[in-house]
Amino acid sequence: MSAVQDQRDGPVPMAVEQGAPAAAKRELSPSSAHDSSDAPSAKKAKQEDDGDGAFANGVADVRDDTTATAAAVCSDPVTHTEKQLALPPQKLEARADPTATAPSSMATTRESDQIARKIAEQLRRGQEERLKKAMKALAGDLQNVVKAVAAKEQAELKAVGLGISPQDLLSLANGGASGKGTGKAKAAAAAVCSAAAANAKSVGELLREPKCPTDEMPAHLLMYPGDTGDRHALMSWKKAVEKHKDKAERDRDAYVAKRKKELKALALKETAGATKALAEVCKKIELAEKAHSVVAKAQKELASVHERGSLLEETLREKSRLALLPGFSEENVLAVAALDATLQKMEGKKLFEAVATVEREQQRDREKQLGKEQREAVRKAEKAERDRVKDAEKKGKAAQREAARLALLQKKDDAVKHKQRLAKYPVDDLDLKLEFELEAKEKGVSENSLGYKQLPVPTPVPDGPFLANEAALADFLNVFGEALRAPSKVNTVVGIRAVIVGCGTDLVSLYRCLLKPCMELAVLGKGRDVTQWRRLVSDATWPEVVRRVLERKKVGGAGTLALGRRPWQQLSAAEHVFALRGLCDLALGGAKPRQIISKRLEDAQALRYARILAYNAEAQRLRKIENAAKEKRKAIRAEAAARRRGEKEAKRKAREAAMAAGEEVEDEEEEEEEEEEEEEEGGELGTGQGDDDEPRPMEEDDKSAQDEPDAGDDDARDTDEGDKKRGKPAFEPKPPAVREPSPEPTFELPKHLQTYDGHPEDRKALMAWRQTHNKASERLAVAKREWDKRAKAEQRRVTDKERADKFKLEEAEEQRKQKAREEAELEEKEQRKKETKKAEEDNAVSVRTKSLGKDRHARTYWWGVGGMKACVFVEDVDGGWGVFNTKNEVDTLMNALHSWGKNERVLKQSLQRRTHAMHAEFRKQARSEAEPGDEPDLQKEAPLRGPGGGPEVPADESTPFRDTVRRLGVICALAKAASGVRSDWTLGDPTGEAWVAFTKRATGASSNEHLAACLCDVEESLRAGQLKEFMDPREAADRAAAADAGEAYESDYEEEILEDDEYDDEQVFGDARDQETYESKAASGMIFPIFDTKFDRARWKEKVHKDAPAASLAFSCAALEDAAKPFLKALIKHPR
């Protein structure tokens, strides 16, 4: 196989490269003995020094001789135009203007030399690129040859594997070389097919294959096993033998046919594969031959490039040699022109491109130099601007430091003033008012401008004293109502007003529960009247008992007088309130109220000390937090100072290194160390802004046990600049950075494409310039459209982004406001909870509502009295009342109060501690007014009525009226019984008809007047019987004689009656009278007088008159019954 391959394969590509004779190096005529290098491997430095420099110098010395030029044109076949194009433009200008001065000629010569040197460089560079390109193409073609030979070998190996002989392949290769490859391929395929047919198996061979069906007979068919005489059986056996033979023959024939078909198909398949393999071998042979031909062409091209390069180098060297000659004769000029024509023929368009490239490079160099100068100017201007900005920043920092220093001094001054104020204020409100008046007078301004605002005027409240008593009554019942078993819902003004307006059983229960503690010994003291009142009080007599109790203690005012003149149902609301308020004042002396007061005072003292401990613990916690914050601030300042020192040291080292390297450095900035904030031992200046309003917990008076030590107001911040500086400045967000738009690019053609600067007769260069100009114009137009499109898209994107950012900012601002509102609501809710909790704790230990405080006019402020929390009441020194019932009014009041005054300081603190609770009550009141019908305002619906008023419906006095009739019946029954046992007519007719008549008269009474008259007559009859019982017989005779003579008995004159103020039964009778109780008299069996003195009887008769209420008559009747029962019963026990 290797021999065949050696014979049919052409020369190995690399072997051809290696074995071929080396291209003869064309020796160029060197200008000196040591210069013998060829063009591809010439040293550039030597060429630039020797060749290019000589060429440039030779061209520079060309003289513009018109005669020599004409001779050169005539003698040289190169046209004059080509020679002109071969020369640089500067030389042409020099030749066209022979009168140019020497300095300009020298400058032009230097520039022309430089241009010539660059043109030679461009030509050499183009030659090197062509050489590299040819060598690269040759290497690629050699690789293709290697690949083609490898592919051909693979195809031959595959063909041999399919049964094609090497000789056939060799003949095929030779035939392919002579152009007969296709016929040889067909012959080789026919040979393969015939060999396959010759090698096919015969029928005998097929029948001898193991898989072929056998023709052997089975044992039972070889010999007839039966009886030969049985013809029928013998014939059947023979038929079976024949049948088996026929079947075996058919099977063997079918197998042979099948195998022949398979062998034929296999032979056809092998023939088709061989044919395909031969076709593939032919194809690969053709590709290998083409690759070899391409390599040969590339080698020729490379040799041509080498030759052209040698000629170019020889031409350039020759021009350099001519340029180095000392003289520049006419022959030299013609020789140089001939060499230029040769270059023109060799390079053609490349020469013009080289010239244009050099000119463009020069133009770029000039533009670069101009740009560098402009940048340098801009840099200097920017440096000057930076220096100016730095100077301005230095001045600004210095101004800021000075402002900070002045602010720190001002802060210290404010702190000193603050301490002075703490030492001076608060003062008496009148003294403070006088100070502001004097200061306003001195400065010629108003007191309001100095921060001493006028207090708002409250809305006047009609019937203020009544409202105050009503609120005091509600407060009393709120504290003691449950212990006294008062009706429910009477702990507020609204509840009390509902009970009074209802005028039903709840009002009766309220009177009775308040009367009970008033009847105790500790309240009313000792006395027969008091004992009798306790014994006679009932559902019918309680109004009179209330009146007498109030009258005895001289309380109740108009309510006491009204109870003696009218039925209790006809009293006005104010009269009821006055009466109930008097009972409340008396009830405070009862046992249960005193126990509650003692218990609450103890709880109040414990709560006060608990709050003081909690306050001190909170102050200690805040002090720890403040100290930790101070340490953190100190650490931050120390870290910042260390960082500044490190940055300063790094700048100093960098500056020294730059100065050591000789670099230009900027002036060192003068940096001043920032002054550290000074902190006092007691804390920073900004802390404790409410110290002037904060009371010391342990120095509080015992009467302020209900007040929690709390931080005060910040009124000084409104009147003093130093206090304003203690608050943190509000955060001012930075404005969004303005993004400067990118500068619009200039879609202008380069200068070398704006105007054609080549030779006007060079059509090729002009067409090339126009083509480049058109392409550049189209490219710039497309770029401008794309830029406009991108600019519009960018503008839309920026607009959309700005819109989205604006929406996000608005949404973020709305979320921030919502969060601030939620936080404010949460904080207000927490504060309200704290205030509510504190108020509940205060209510649990308070005896009565404490005033908020007093203002500069000595007016007292009340809040929450009687459960009225949606308003602040103001009590004037003259007894007048006003009210602030809106949030704005209360806020205005708080802003007007000045904390430098003692009274207003306390008042403002009290208002501030209850701000959130007040605002909540105002909102609740506003909602209730907006929804009428939910909770009726009884204060508005039921008008306040003074003394003398009354409801339109008549009073129901049936209960006391019936009780009086019943008691009169009891008295008359006892008197009738006593008259029956006394035959001396002590009580009148022993038959008792007079007493029966009294009973009928009382039962038939239709009014209080009739009943009062009947009661007086009964008492007169009892009085007459008493006189007869205790009268001496002689006195009785004297009385009878005086009566007959028509004279008055001197003992009938009334004794002097003591005034009410001078009378006190305890003083008159002493303790002995207290021992004569109703039970002791009844048990003794002795006869006691009905009234002990005439004074007692006179007082009793004074209350029994025609205008007396039924309750008063009932009490008088009960008192008469209480006094007459022992007397009558004793008479019954001692008959006569």
Side-chain angles (χ1 to χ4, degrees):
M1 185 64 188
S2 60
V4 175
Q5 184 176 356
D6 293 340
Q7 294 177 7
R8 70 173 183 268
D9 289 345
V12 180
M14 296 305 295
V16 173
E17 179 78 10
Q18 295 173 359
K25 293 185 179 180
R26 185 169 184 177
E27 296 293 337
L28 302 177
S29 55
S31 59
S32 60
H34 64 274
D35 189 8
S36 59
S37 60
D38 57 339
S41 60
K43 295 181 180 180
K44 293 183 179 180
K46 194 171 182 180
Q47 289 175 358
E48 291 176 358
D49 295 338
D50 299 336
D52 292 345
F55 170 71
N57 293 330
V59 175
D61 294 336
V62 174
R63 296 179 179 179
D64 191 14
D65 189 3
T66 55
T67 307
T69 303
V73 170
C74 296
S75 61
D76 200 291
V78 182
T79 61
H80 179 67
T81 303
E82 292 174 347
K83 291 181 179 180
Q84 293 290 338
L85 290 174
L87 291 176
Q90 290 81 0
K91 285 292 182 180
L92 297 177
E93 294 176 2
R95 292 183 178 183
D97 188 10
T99 62
T101 60
S104 62
S105 177
M106 293 177 62
T108 306
T109 302
R110 285 195 297 270
E111 188 175 358
S112 300
D113 294 343
Q114 188 178 5
I115 291 174
R117 192 163 46 248
K118 288 184 178 180
I119 290 173
E121 226 176 275
Q122 288 287 338
L123 294 176
R124 287 193 181 98
R125 193 179 297 116
Q127 173 61 25
E128 289 179 0
E129 290 178 358
R130 286 193 294 272
L131 181 60
K132 289 180 181 179
K133 184 176 181 182
M135 294 178 67
K136 184 177 180 181
L138 179 60
D141 294 338
L142 290 175
Q143 292 292 332
N144 293 335
V145 168
V146 172
K147 292 179 182 179
V149 170
K152 184 182 71 172
E153 291 175 356
Q154 292 293 334
E156 289 176 351
L157 291 176
K158 185 176 180 181
V160 171
L162 292 175
I164 300 175
S165 63
Q167 292 77 13
D168 293 336
L169 294 177
L170 182 58
S171 63
L172 181 62
N174 295 331
S178 61
K180 300 179 180 179
T182 305
K184 292 292 183 69
K186 292 182 178 180
V192 171
C193 293
S194 62
N199 294 331
K201 293 183 179 181
S202 61
V203 176
E205 291 176 347
L206 295 175
L207 292 176
R208 287 194 294 271
E209 288 181 355
K211 295 183 179 181
C212 181
T214 182
D215 56 350
E216 295 181 359
M217 302 290 290
H220 68 280
L221 295 178
L222 291 176
M223 184 179 293
Y224 178 64
D227 187 7
T228 56
D230 189 356
R231 297 283 299 171
H232 184 71
L234 181 60
M235 293 303 294
S236 297
W237 178 81
K238 289 181 178 182
K239 288 181 179 180
V241 171
E242 292 294 332
K243 185 177 181 180
H244 180 75
K245 289 181 177 180
D246 293 340
K247 183 178 181 304
E249 189 67 22
R250 286 194 303 272
D251 292 342
R252 290 167 68 86
D253 293 342
Y255 177 77
V256 169
K258 179 180 178 182
R259 287 291 296 152
K260 285 182 177 182
K261 188 176 181 180
E262 291 177 355
L263 292 175
K264 185 177 180 181
L266 182 61
L268 291 176
K269 186 175 181 181
E270 291 178 354
T271 303
T275 304
K276 186 176 180 181
L278 289 174
E280 186 69 20
V281 170
C282 294
K283 182 178 180 181
K284 296 302 180 182
I285 290 174
E286 291 177 359
L287 292 178
E289 292 175 352
K290 288 181 180 179
H292 281 292
S293 63
V294 170
V295 167
K297 186 177 179 180
Q299 289 175 348
K300 292 179 181 180
E301 182 67 25
L302 180 59
S304 174
V305 171
H306 273 289
E307 184 179 357
R308 184 176 180 181
S310 300
L311 181 59
L312 175 63
E313 188 65 27
E314 183 180 359
T315 304
L316 295 176
R317 285 177 181 237
E318 184 64 21
K319 290 184 67 175
S320 301
R321 187 185 65 79
L322 293 175
L324 290 175
L325 294 177
F328 204 76
S329 62
E330 182 179 351
E331 295 178 358
N332 292 341
V333 173
L334 294 176
V336 170
L339 291 176
D340 290 338
T342 303
L343 288 177
Q344 177 65 30
K345 288 181 179 180
M346 289 174 56
E347 298 298 331
K349 183 178 179 182
K350 296 292 184 180
L351 181 60
F352 293 107
E353 291 179 356
V355 174
T357 302
V358 170
E359 291 178 354
R360 286 197 299 270
E361 288 179 356
Q362 284 188 337
Q363 182 66 23
R364 282 198 297 269
D365 292 340
R366 287 193 292 271
E367 292 177 356
K368 187 183 296 184
Q369 183 65 24
L370 181 60
K372 184 177 180 180
E373 294 175 357
Q374 291 178 353
R375 287 194 297 272
E376 183 66 20
V378 171
R379 189 186 67 81
K380 291 181 180 179
E382 290 178 353
K383 185 177 182 301
E385 180 65 20
R386 284 198 302 271
D387 294 340
R388 187 190 64 78
V389 171
K390 285 182 180 179
D391 293 340
E393 289 180 354
K394 286 182 181 179
K395 293 179 181 179
K397 288 182 180 179
Q400 290 179 359
R401 287 193 293 270
E402 182 65 18
R405 187 182 67 81
L406 295 177
L408 184 60
L409 294 177
Q410 183 66 27
K411 191 175 183 180
K412 294 179 180 178
D413 190 17
D414 294 339
V416 172
K417 291 181 180 179
H418 181 68
K419 289 184 178 180
Q420 292 176 355
R421 280 199 309 274
L422 290 179
K424 179 180 179 181
Y425 297 104
V427 297
D428 188 79
D429 294 86
L430 296 179
D431 296 339
L432 180 64
K433 183 178 181 181
L434 182 61
E435 288 182 9
F436 274 104
E437 288 178 354
L438 293 177
E439 184 178 358
K441 187 175 181 181
E442 291 176 359
K443 296 182 178 180
V445 296
S446 63
E447 298 177 7
N448 193 14
S449 62
L450 297 177
Y452 195 71
K453 303 176 183 179
Q454 296 296 327
L455 297 180
V457 179
T459 304
V461 177
D463 297 324
F466 158 73
L467 188 62
N469 288 327
E470 193 174 28
L473 176 61
D475 288 339
F476 176 87
L477 293 175
N478 183 38
V479 178
F480 306 103
E482 183 178 358
L484 298 178
R485 297 183 180 180
S488 60
K489 299 181 180 180
V490 292
N491 56 347
T492 61
V493 171
V494 176
I496 291 176
R497 187 66 58 80
V499 170
I500 293 176
V501 172
C503 199
T505 56
D506 288 341
L507 183 58
V508 176
S509 300
L510 181 59
Y511 270 106
R512 295 293 297 273
C513 73
L514 294 177
L515 180 62
K516 186 176 180 180
C518 297
M519 302 296 292
E520 296 179 5
L521 182 64
V523 179
L524 291 180
K526 299 179 181 179
R528 297 179 68 246
D529 291 343
V530 175
T531 305
Q532 186 185 44
W533 295 344
R534 298 191 188 101
R535 192 168 56 249
L536 298 183
V537 64
S538 64
D539 293 338
T541 60
W542 68 263
E544 183 63 19
V545 175
V546 168
R547 186 195 66 79
R548 291 174 181 265
V549 169
L550 297 176
E551 186 178 23
R552 178 184 179 88
K553 290 298 182 179
K554 299 179 182 179
V555 294
T560 304
L561 297 176
L563 284 173
R565 295 173 182 173
R566 298 189 302 275
W568 65 271
Q569 294 94 335
Q570 293 183 349
L571 266 66
S572 65
E575 292 168 346
H576 277 298
V577 168
F578 286 132
L580 292 171
R581 171 68 189 278
L583 291 177
C584 290
D585 292 341
L586 295 178
L588 287 174
K592 289 184 179 181
R594 292 181 67 83
Q595 292 176 0
I596 294 174
I597 292 173
S598 300
K599 179 67 169 57
R600 293 206 170 201
L601 288 177
E602 294 175 359
D603 295 343
Q605 190 69 11
L607 178 62
R608 176 176 179 269
Y609 283 106
R611 287 181 176 176
I612 291 174
L613 294 176
Y615 176 80
N616 293 334
E618 180 66 16
Q620 185 176 4
R621 186 184 69 83
L622 294 177
R623 197 175 297 111
K624 289 181 180 179
I625 295 175
E626 184 178 356
N627 293 335
K630 287 181 183 178
E631 295 297 330
K632 186 176 180 180
R633 288 194 295 270
K634 288 181 180 179
I636 292 174
R637 288 196 296 270
E639 182 180 358
R643 186 172 61 253
R644 288 195 298 271
R645 288 194 295 271
E647 293 176 355
K648 189 175 181 181
E649 184 67 19
K651 288 181 180 179
R652 185 184 65 78
K653 291 181 179 180
R655 180 181 176 82
E656 292 177 355
M659 293 177 66
E663 298 179 0
E664 182 182 358
V665 295
E666 298 179 357
D667 296 336
E668 185 177 4
E669 297 182 3
E670 297 180 0
E671 297 183 356
E672 297 184 6
E673 293 291 335
E674 298 181 0
E675 297 183 1
E676 302 247 345
E677 295 182 2
E678 298 182 1
E679 295 183 358
E680 298 182 0
E681 295 181 358
E684 293 187 350
L685 299 176
T687 59
Q689 59 185 357
D691 293 342
D692 58 343
D693 292 337
E694 184 174 352
R696 301 300 179 192
M698 301 305 297
E699 297 178 0
E700 290 183 338
D701 191 29
D702 292 339
K703 65 181 180 179
S704 61
Q706 315 302 327
D707 294 336
E708 178 186 5
D710 199 354
D713 60 279
D714 298 331
D715 184 74
R717 288 181 294 181
D718 298 335
T719 59
D720 194 273
E721 292 296 330
D723 295 334
K724 291 181 181 179
K725 295 180 181 178
R726 290 197 290 255
K728 293 184 179 181
F731 173 73
E732 296 181 359
K734 296 181 179 180
V738 180
R739 182 180 179 183
E740 296 182 358
S742 58
E744 182 178 359
T746 57
F747 298 98
E748 296 181 359
L749 290 171
K751 291 184 178 180
H752 69 280
L753 293 179
Q754 292 180 1
T755 57
Y756 176 67
D757 53 0
H759 198 280
E761 297 182 3
D762 189 356
R763 299 291 298 173
K764 292 183 178 179
L766 181 59
M767 295 304 295
W769 179 87
R770 288 181 178 176
Q771 185 177 4
T772 306
H773 174 83
N774 295 335
K775 289 182 179 180
S777 300
E778 293 177 0
R779 186 170 61 255
L780 289 176
V782 172
K784 188 175 187 308
R785 288 195 298 271
E786 292 295 330
W787 190 89
D788 292 340
K789 184 178 179 181
R790 287 195 301 272
K792 291 181 180 179
E794 179 68 17
Q795 183 65 27
R796 287 195 300 269
R797 188 186 65 79
V798 170
T799 305
D800 295 341
K801 187 176 183 302
E802 290 178 353
R803 189 182 298 109
D805 292 343
K806 183 179 180 181
F807 178 75
K808 288 181 180 179
L809 288 176
E810 293 177 354
E811 186 177 3
E813 182 68 16
E814 184 64 25
Q815 291 178 357
R816 186 187 65 79
K817 291 181 180 180
Q818 181 65 21
K819 185 177 180 181
R821 286 194 296 268
E822 292 176 357
E823 290 178 354
E825 292 176 359
L826 182 61
E827 183 180 0
E828 182 181 0
K829 186 177 180 181
E830 294 296 330
Q831 292 294 333
R832 191 164 63 249
K833 285 183 179 178
K834 291 181 181 179
E835 294 177 2
T836 304
K837 181 180 179 182
K838 181 178 179 297
E840 291 176 354
E841 292 176 352
D842 293 343
N843 292 334
V845 298
S846 63
V847 177
R848 62 178 58 186
T849 302
K850 183 183 176 181
S851 64
L852 297 176
K854 295 184 179 181
D855 60 7
R856 67 194 69 165
H857 305 301
R859 295 181 297 192
T860 307
Y861 289 77
W862 302 85
W863 179 73
V865 289
M868 293 183 292
K869 297 183 178 181
C871 56
V872 176
F873 289 100
V874 185
E875 182 183 3
D876 199 353
V877 291
D878 298 331
W881 285 76
V883 64
F884 295 109
N885 50 15
T886 62
K887 174 180 176 297
N888 294 333
E889 292 178 351
V890 175
D891 292 341
T892 304
L893 172 64
M894 291 178 60
N895 293 331
L897 294 174
H898 206 287
S899 61
W900 290 359
K902 291 183 178 179
N903 292 337
E904 293 192 3
R905 176 192 182 93
V906 176
L907 176 58
K908 191 167 186 177
Q909 289 177 0
S910 301
L911 289 172
Q912 285 180 337
R913 286 196 294 268
R914 297 165 177 82
T915 299
H916 298 286
M918 287 182 178
H919 291 175
E921 293 296 333
F922 286 137
R923 289 194 296 269
K924 183 179 179 181
Q925 180 67 20
R927 288 194 298 269
S928 64
E929 291 178 356
E931 299 177 0
D934 294 344
E935 184 177 351
D937 191 352
L938 297 176
Q939 185 174 352
K940 296 180 180 180
E941 292 183 1
L944 304 179
R945 295 181 294 274
E952 299 177 357
V953 181
D956 183 10
E957 296 183 306
S958 59
T959 300
F961 193 88
R962 289 195 301 270
D963 186 76
T964 304
V965 172
R966 180 184 64 78
R967 290 181 182 274
L968 281 175
V970 172
I971 294 173
C972 291
L974 288 175
K976 180 181 178 182
S979 63
V981 297
R982 289 297 182 104
S983 59
D984 57 355
W985 290 63
T986 302
L987 295 176
D989 187 3
T991 58
E993 293 181 359
W995 299 108
V996 173
F998 280 137
T999 303
K1000 292 180 178 180
R1001 182 180 170 186
T1003 305
S1006 60
S1007 64
N1008 293 344
E1009 182 179 357
H1010 297 161
L1011 194 60
C1014 181
L1015 182 60
C1016 289
D1017 292 343
V1018 169
E1019 192 274 335
E1020 289 291 342
S1021 298
L1022 292 176
R1023 170 70 175 173
Q1026 177 183 338
L1027 291 176
K1028 289 181 181 181
E1029 179 65 25
F1030 294 101
M1031 188 179 299
D1032 186 67
R1034 289 177 296 178
E1035 182 180 357
D1038 293 339
R1039 283 180 178 276
D1044 294 339
E1047 298 177 357
Y1049 189 70
E1050 62 181 25
S1051 62
D1052 288 338
Y1053 294 104
E1054 297 293 335
E1055 300 178 358
E1056 183 181 1
I1057 299 177
L1058 298 175
E1059 297 293 334
D1060 190 19
D1061 293 340
E1062 300 174 358
Y1063 173 75
D1064 190 348
D1065 59 348
E1066 296 180 13
Q1067 298 177 2
V1068 174
F1069 300 103
D1071 295 338
R1073 295 288 300 272
D1074 292 336
Q1075 304 299 326
E1076 297 179 357
T1077 61
Y1078 176 81
E1079 291 77 8
S1080 63
K1081 289 181 181 180
S1084 63
M1086 299 176 61
I1087 301 175
F1088 290 91
I1090 299 175
F1091 297 105
D1092 294 333
T1093 63
K1094 293 181 179 180
F1095 175 74
D1096 292 340
R1097 182 170 179 269
R1099 283 199 306 158
W1100 183 89
K1101 292 185 68 176
E1102 181 182 359
K1103 300 301 180 183
V1104 181
H1105 51 84
K1106 63 179 181 178
D1107 296 327
S1112 179
L1113 295 178
F1115 182 83
S1116 298
C1117 186
L1120 181 61
E1121 179 188 8
D1122 182 73
K1125 269 187 178 181
F1127 172 73
L1128 296 176
K1129 289 182 178 180
L1131 291 180
I1132 294 173
K1133 288 182 179 180
H1134 300 281
R1136 288 183 183 177

